[in-house]
Amino acid sequence: MTLNSFIHLGNKNLLMPFPSSEINLPMLTEYVINGHIRIPEFQRPIIWNAEDVENLLDSVTQGYPIGFLLFWESHESLRERTPHPLHLKLRKIRKNEDKFWLLDGQQRVTALIGSFTDNLYLGRLGKTKYRAFYDLEMRKFKVLKVSEIEKKKPKPEYKIENWFIPLNKLFIQNRKGEFELDKNSHLQITPDLEESLGQRHRSDLLHLWKMFMDVKIPVINERKNLPDACTIFERLNTAGTPLTVVDVMIAKTYEKDFVLRRKIDELNEELASALYELKDTTVLQCMSACLAKDTETDSILANAKEIKNNWDETTVAIKSATSFLKNKTGVCLISKLLPHEILLAPLSYFFYKYATLKDKPKNDVEINNALKRFFWYNIFSENYGRSQSTKARDDMNEMDSLLVGNYSVFKSDKYDFSPFNAKDIKEEEISSSPFSKTFLCFLISKMPLNYNDNSRVEIERAINPQSIKSIHHVFPKTVFLEKLIDSIANVSIISVQLNNDIRNQRPSSYFAKFGAKNKELKETLKKHHLIGDFAEFGITDDKFDTFIEKRATLIEEEIKKLIEELKPVTPKRS
């Protein structure tokens, strides 16, 4: 049996496919390694983890069905996933050679073949190598990170016992990577495996071989044009393993000269230099907002063609929105610290529409104030905590008013700022919650300086969203064991090095030391860190309760002050 013998089903069978042909594991491996089966670029990245692979291997040995594979047969040369999910360097395909593009089943195919050829890569971006084992004692699969296995003193969970059988040694492979089978079609034992194999485990291992040898994977092969193939991919994946809107959009917009994932990556590379990097979904929400005044998933999918055709114009609007936040509010690291990224959608909408206006509003100061109101009022009121698409649509209506010169939009009386009160600020622990992120945005907007020399803090290094609680605590956790020690009111943004230097010191000590060298320290603390007089704030006597109460109150006052400052001065139209 070859791939050319697979049945070609009509459209009616696509929604409920009935497989009429099968492929075994050795042949599947041969076709992948020899380059007959290819993975198109519009496929999603590897998202499976070690447990997913273990479950698949277990399903095979238990005789459970593992689903069908769908191929698209074509002479067309598409862009392929790079690097290959198995990190293979495939041969070049001849111009008119049949190619079988894998439309459905990529996660399963790479898990199976990777396990048996020692080419299993998982984790973020599929860069971390794993190795699959069968534990003969426990009769279960283990998929372990190679870097952990190969340590001189691995952790207990990564220790390889004598009864752990590496799956890549179950089969003899020739130079091409093909499985070698004996005359009786039984998988052979490699010499090194024979030597280490205990007699009591032979029956279990033979059963294991037999199950992997006998497994037959149902396949469907389709001959369609490229748009139809992408539609098939979209339908099957949406009905099966859930895809993100980005995954579906990649298939819907795919052309040889337009690959959505690559386009988003290129945009983020540009934004990264300005400390911005957006989630893929946020990019599409912003574009749908610009083109259809809607951020819902249905709108994104319905406007796939428009998003592709207006890519350049909408990316300019997104870059203008992120640039505004950085330059006018001081907020950066958007994908990490913005309480709700969808806030960028109405802002992008404004800049997209503004670029096309012939008669633009004249008062730039009032425009900037209105846009700052939009940002700060929304995050201080936690307005986007629910019904985000509805809120975004309402704010785009406000943006329409601003575009015709109505500068009094985003009025404070429409927002509830009560969440940011001294009591809640004091009791809120630093975390990745929207409340904490809003507070960090506010601190960042104060352009924090280092205590010792007034140098500007490099925000991208000072804040690590993966370990948010490592941000500097004015009263260090290593010295004080107070109940509210992780309160956001105890957090200040300084460099990592300075934080490490004073990690085990009391504030009365390190502030006195820095104050002797930095004559502007008190002004720096008040203006850039919202910390007042040492004695009044309890710093002189290391009184944590006094400090936390005073600082929470000062933060609330400063937030109220900003809200007042941003109120429109000129409500008239221009």
Side-chain angles (χ1 to χ4, degrees):
M1 183 200 73
T2 66
L3 287 176
N4 288 324
S5 67
F6 293 173
I7 192 169
H8 300 277
L9 298 180
N11 278 331
K12 293 182 180 179
N13 298 100
L14 284 175
L15 296 180
M16 295 197 58
F18 183 81
S20 65
S21 193
E22 298 172 325
I23 190 169
N24 62 30
L25 188 54
M27 183 174 290
L28 178 65
T29 304
E30 177 183 341
Y31 274 99
V32 170
I33 291 177
N34 289 344
H36 295 297
I37 292 174
R38 302 275 173 153
I39 299 178
E41 189 174 32
F42 59 71
Q43 277 276 16
R44 74 167 99 184
I46 297 300
I47 61 170
W48 274 23
N49 56 32
E51 185 179 359
D52 293 322
V53 179
E54 291 168 353
N55 289 338
L56 176 67
L57 295 171
D58 184 66
S59 293
V60 173
T61 57
Q62 296 293 332
Y64 300 147
I66 60 171
F68 68 91
L69 305 178
L70 175 66
F71 296 99
W72 174 50
E73 181 184 356
S74 174
H75 295 305
E76 289 196 53
S77 294
L78 303 181
R79 283 179 172 150
E80 299 183 47
R81 281 285 313 283
T82 55
H84 191 282
L86 295 170
H87 289 222
L88 299 175
K89 293 184 178 179
L90 301 179
R91 64 180 177 83
K92 291 185 177 180
I93 307 176
R94 295 186 298 274
K95 187 174 182 180
N96 294 319
E97 181 181 355
D98 272 345
K99 294 170 282 290
F100 298 88
W101 299 95
L102 182 59
L103 296 187
D104 192 57
Q106 177 197 201
Q107 310 291 331
R108 287 167 286 146
V109 168
T110 54
L112 286 170
I113 297 176
S115 296
F116 288 99
T117 61
D118 204 25
N119 289 295
L120 183 61
Y121 292 86
L122 306 172
R124 187 174 183 272
L125 303 179
K127 290 184 177 180
T128 306
K129 187 170 185 178
Y130 284 73
R131 189 165 292 145
F133 298 85
Y134 185 72
D135 181 345
L136 287 167
E137 288 284 346
M138 302 299 295
R139 294 184 176 180
K140 62 186 292 187
F141 292 95
K142 289 182 177 290
V143 175
L144 304 175
K145 194 181 297 185
V146 171
S147 60
E148 294 291 339
I149 296 170
E150 295 178 346
K151 287 182 177 178
K152 290 184 179 180
K153 293 184 178 180
K155 297 177 182 178
E157 61 267 30
Y158 289 101
K159 185 180 179 182
I160 305 303
E161 306 290 356
N162 292 334
W163 55 87
F164 282 21
I165 304 302
L167 297 193
N168 62 299
K169 290 190 176 182
L170 280 179
F171 312 132
I172 292 178
Q173 294 173 274
N174 62 24
R175 293 179 180 178
K176 294 182 179 180
E178 300 167 338
F179 291 150
E180 293 283 352
L181 307 179
D182 64 20
K183 293 181 180 179
N184 297 318
S185 296
H186 292 300
L187 299 174
Q188 298 183 27
I189 306 174
T190 58
D192 55 343
L193 186 57
E194 175 71 42
E195 185 178 345
S196 64
L197 190 61
Q199 198 61 32
R200 71 189 186 93
H201 293 310
R202 285 190 63 85
S203 61
D204 283 349
L205 189 55
L206 286 171
H207 171 73
L208 190 70
W209 290 335
K210 188 175 188 308
M211 293 305 295
F212 281 113
M213 180 59 201
D214 291 347
V215 64
K216 298 292 191 297
I217 306 171
V219 295
I220 298 173
N221 189 42
E222 265 297 334
R223 284 178 176 171
K224 296 284 179 183
N225 57 34
L226 180 56
D228 286 344
C230 290
T231 300
I232 293 169
F233 169 81
E234 174 197 339
R235 286 181 187 175
L236 286 170
N237 281 280
T238 303
T241 303
L243 292 177
T244 67
V245 64
V246 180
D247 294 320
V248 178
M249 283 290 288
I250 287 170
K252 289 179 75 73
T253 60
Y254 186 86
E255 289 183 0
K256 291 182 180 180
D257 59 349
F258 188 96
V259 182
L260 182 62
R261 194 174 300 282
R262 183 175 296 175
K263 289 285 190 180
I264 293 176
D265 288 344
E266 289 172 355
L267 172 60
N268 270 325
E269 284 176 12
E270 289 186 61
L271 296 176
S273 61
L275 305 184
Y276 289 93
E277 189 175 351
L278 304 179
K279 294 173 186 173
D280 296 350
T281 304
T282 303
V283 172
L284 296 181
Q285 286 177 323
C286 290
M287 292 184 167
S288 181
C290 292
L291 300 169
K293 205 175 178 180
D294 196 340
T295 59
E296 293 276 12
T297 297
D298 288 347
S299 175
I300 294 172
L301 296 175
N303 289 282
K305 184 177 180 181
E306 288 74 15
I307 287 174
K308 179 172 64 176
N309 293 340
N310 294 277
W311 184 265
D312 292 341
E313 294 82 358
T314 50
T315 53
V316 168
I318 293 172
K319 286 186 278 188
S320 296
T322 55
S323 178
F324 173 84
L325 286 180
K326 182 183 179 183
N327 296 327
K328 301 301 181 181
T329 71
V331 176
C332 56
L333 299 174
I334 285 298
S335 62
K336 300 174 183 178
L337 293 181
L338 197 63
H340 303 287
E341 275 198 20
I342 196 174
L343 281 162
L344 281 170
L347 205 53
S348 299
Y349 172 83
F350 171 83
F351 286 106
Y352 180 78
K353 294 295 184 181
Y354 185 82
T356 63
L357 286 180
K358 292 183 179 179
D359 185 19
K360 293 180 170 58
K362 303 295 189 297
N363 196 327
D364 291 342
V365 173
E366 288 298 331
I367 290 174
N368 286 332
N369 280 340
L371 295 179
K372 284 192 282 187
R373 277 199 304 279
F374 155 76
F375 176 71
W376 289 115
Y377 284 11
N378 271 304
I379 67 173
F380 284 141
S381 65
E382 297 187 323
N383 194 37
Y384 276 72
R386 57 188 179 277
S387 304
Q388 292 185 345
S389 293
T390 300
K391 299 291 174 55
R393 193 178 302 111
D394 291 343
D395 282 341
M396 284 186 273
N397 288 333
E398 291 281 276
M399 294 296 185
D400 285 336
S401 294
L402 179 59
L403 287 164
V404 295
N406 180 7
Y407 304 124
S408 63
V409 291
F410 306 113
K411 294 179 180 179
S412 59
D413 57 8
K414 294 182 179 180
Y415 300 88
D416 176 14
F417 301 114
S418 62
F420 275 83
N421 59 78
K423 181 178 181 295
D424 288 342
I425 291 170
K426 182 176 69 174
E427 295 177 355
E428 175 76 14
E429 284 194 4
I430 187 69
S431 66
S432 296
S433 69
F435 195 100
S436 285
K437 288 183 175 180
T438 296
F439 170 72
L440 290 175
C441 285
F442 187 52
L443 281 190
I444 291 170
S445 74
K446 296 296 181 180
M447 306 298 178
L449 305 179
N450 284 311
Y451 304 153
N452 56 340
D453 58 6
N454 283 346
S455 58
R456 178 66 58 84
V457 176
E458 295 182 55
I459 301 299
E460 71 276 20
R461 295 185 179 182
I463 298 178
N464 180 358
Q466 277 68 52
S467 55
I468 202 80
K469 289 191 176 182
S470 65
I471 296 175
H472 175 61
H473 288 49
V474 179
F475 281 69
K477 293 195 290 183
T478 55
V479 179
F480 298 88
L481 302 176
E482 306 293 335
K483 182 181 178 181
L484 297 176
I485 197 67
D486 279 321
S487 164
I488 60 175
N490 190 32
V491 166
S492 178
I493 301 175
I494 59 175
S495 71
V496 174
Q497 183 60 54
L498 186 58
N499 185 23
N500 290 334
D501 290 345
I502 60 179
R503 184 180 298 277
N504 299 315
Q505 299 180 38
R506 292 174 175 271
S508 61
S509 173
Y510 68 74
F511 277 130
K513 180 176 66 176
F514 293 139
K517 296 179 180 179
N518 182 4
K519 302 304 179 183
E520 299 176 2
L521 177 60
K522 290 187 177 181
E523 183 63 25
T524 294
L525 291 174
K526 184 177 180 181
K527 183 177 179 181
H528 299 282
H529 295 274
L530 305 179
I531 297 174
D533 179 78
F534 288 172
E536 182 185 349
F537 271 62
I539 291 174
T540 305
D541 300 321
D542 293 320
K543 292 181 178 179
F544 175 80
D545 290 342
T546 301
F547 174 79
I548 216 75
E549 193 74 44
K550 289 289 185 180
R551 190 160 188 249
T553 300
L554 179 58
I555 291 168
E556 180 186 9
E557 291 172 355
E558 289 294 316
I559 290 174
K560 287 181 177 178
K561 182 179 175 182
L562 177 60
I563 291 170
E564 286 298 316
E565 288 175 350
L566 290 177
K567 286 184 176 179
V569 177
T570 311
K572 297 178 182 179
R573 296 174 181 269
S574 64

